[in-house]
Amino acid sequence: AQKITQTQPGMFVQEKEAVTLDCTYDTSDQSYGLFWYKQPSSGEMIFLIYQGSYDEQNATEGRYSLNFQKARKSANLVISASQLGDSAMYFCAMRGIGGLTFGKGTHLIIQP
Amino acid sequence: DTGVSQNPRHKITKRGQNVTFRCDPISEHNRLYWYRQTLGQGPEFLTYFQNEAQLEKSRLLSDRFSAERPKGSFSTLEIQRTEQGDSAMYLCASSPTSGGESYEQYFGPGTRLTVT
C-alpha cells in the first residue's frame, strides 16, 4: 500500500520568502511518480510539478522546485519568492495502480 | 481553453434520494478519474476509466455508487439512497497516457454534495 505523509497542517510565511513544504512517502513499487497540487479556496486542484522515481534531476517549474531525496523517501516542494497568491492548500500525491494517493495537505498562508 | 468540466457544481439532496453527477474530460484524454474529498482531507480515489472500460474501483466505492463512461467521453457518477456521510466534494480528473503510463491529472472544479 502507498502512503503520503504531510506533517505541516499549516504554515505562515512572509511574502517574498522561500518556503519548503514537507512530504514523505512510502511505497514498495520500484517505479513511481510524485506530484504536487495546489488547491485555492475556490476548490479547483491545480497541478504544479511532477517527479519520476528514475529522474536524476530534481524537477523545476518556474518558482516551484521539488527536492527529491529517494533514500529518505521525501519529496519536498520549494516555492521561491512567495507571493500573496500562493496562499492555498498544497497536496503531495503519488501515482498508484489507479488514481493518485494524496496526503492530508498543508495550509499555506502568505503574509504581507 | 476546454478544461475538465463538472455539473452540477452544487447539489443539495435529502437522505435516501439518488443523485447523478456528470464529468466532461479534456477531449484528447483517454483516462478519467473520480475522487471524493471531505473537509480537511486530501482527495480519495474512487474509480477510473481507460476509454470506456472501468479498470479500477476503490473499496470506498460501495454498492450504492456506480460510474459509467459509455462512449469513452463524458462520465457519470450516480449515488443511490444517499446518506449524510456521502456529503463531500466529488472531483473528476482526466489525463493522457503515453507508453501506457499516465502523467499529471487535470482536475475539474468539483461537485459539492450536501445530504440533509
Side-chain angles (χ1 to χ4, degrees):
Chain A
Q2 297 179 325
K3 186 175 181 181
I4 296 285
T5 303
Q6 294 182 255
T7 56
Q8 305 153 310
M11 287 185 71
F12 289 86
V13 173
Q14 290 294 119
E15 189 181 8
K16 299 180 185 177
E17 288 184 353
V19 56
T20 298
L21 304 181
D22 295 340
C23 171
T24 57
Y25 60 90
D26 193 19
T27 181
S28 56
D29 295 337
Q30 295 300 310
S31 176
Y32 49 89
L34 294 155
F35 302 79
W36 277 92
Y37 282 84
K38 172 184 178 181
Q39 188 176 41
S41 56
S42 53
E44 76 272 26
M45 297 286 286
I46 302 168
F47 167 74
L48 295 178
I49 197 166
Y50 167 80
Q51 179 84 41
S53 58
Y54 290 117
D55 293 341
E56 293 184 354
Q57 303 283 339
N58 284 345
T60 60
E61 289 285 349
R63 293 186 301 112
Y64 304 107
S65 61
L66 201 151
N67 184 2
F68 181 49
Q69 298 188 43
K70 198 170 181 177
R72 291 186 170 187
K73 293 189 175 181
S74 75
N76 298 339
L77 177 70
V78 180
I79 306 174
S80 63
S82 57
Q83 303 171 356
L84 296 178
D86 294 333
S87 294
M89 285 292 295
Y90 287 80
F91 292 97
C92 181
M94 172 178 282
R95 183 174 63 223
I97 295 173
L100 297 173
T101 300
F102 285 85
K104 291 192 174 183
T106 296
H107 189 191
L108 176 64
I109 298 174
I110 307 298
Q111 296 176 313
Chain B
D1 179 17
T2 54
V4 179
S5 62
Q6 293 186 246
N7 288 289
R9 296 291 307 277
H10 302 274
K11 179 71 177 179
I12 300 174
T13 191
K14 292 186 177 181
R15 188 177 53 191
Q17 298 294 306
N18 298 345
V19 293
T20 300
F21 310 140
R22 175 177 171 130
C23 170
D24 288 87
I26 295 171
S27 58
E28 61 268 26
H29 288 181
N30 51 9
R31 286 203 180 172
L32 185 149
Y33 307 80
W34 285 99
Y35 293 85
R36 180 176 70 188
Q37 186 178 23
T38 53
L39 203 60
Q41 302 294 319
E44 296 172 295
F45 169 71
L46 293 178
T47 188
Y48 91 99
F49 293 83
Q50 171 97 9
N51 299 313
E52 66 274 11
Q54 188 173 17
L55 296 186
E56 187 76 18
K57 290 195 288 187
S58 161
R59 63 179 183 275
L60 293 174
L61 211 67
S62 76
D63 291 345
R64 297 184 297 105
F65 287 69
S66 62
E68 295 183 342
R69 194 183 183 197
K71 296 183 180 179
S73 57
F74 73 91
S75 175
T76 58
L77 178 67
E78 181 183 17
I79 309 174
Q80 296 182 325
R81 304 181 303 282
T82 53
E83 302 172 355
Q84 286 186 323
D86 296 332
S87 296
M89 176 77 87
Y90 290 84
L91 294 165
C92 175
S94 69
S95 73
T97 56
S98 175
E101 290 290 335
S102 67
Y103 293 91
E104 62 266 26
Q105 296 180 16
Y106 296 86
F107 283 78
T111 295
R112 182 168 296 284
L113 173 66
T114 302
V115 182
T116 61

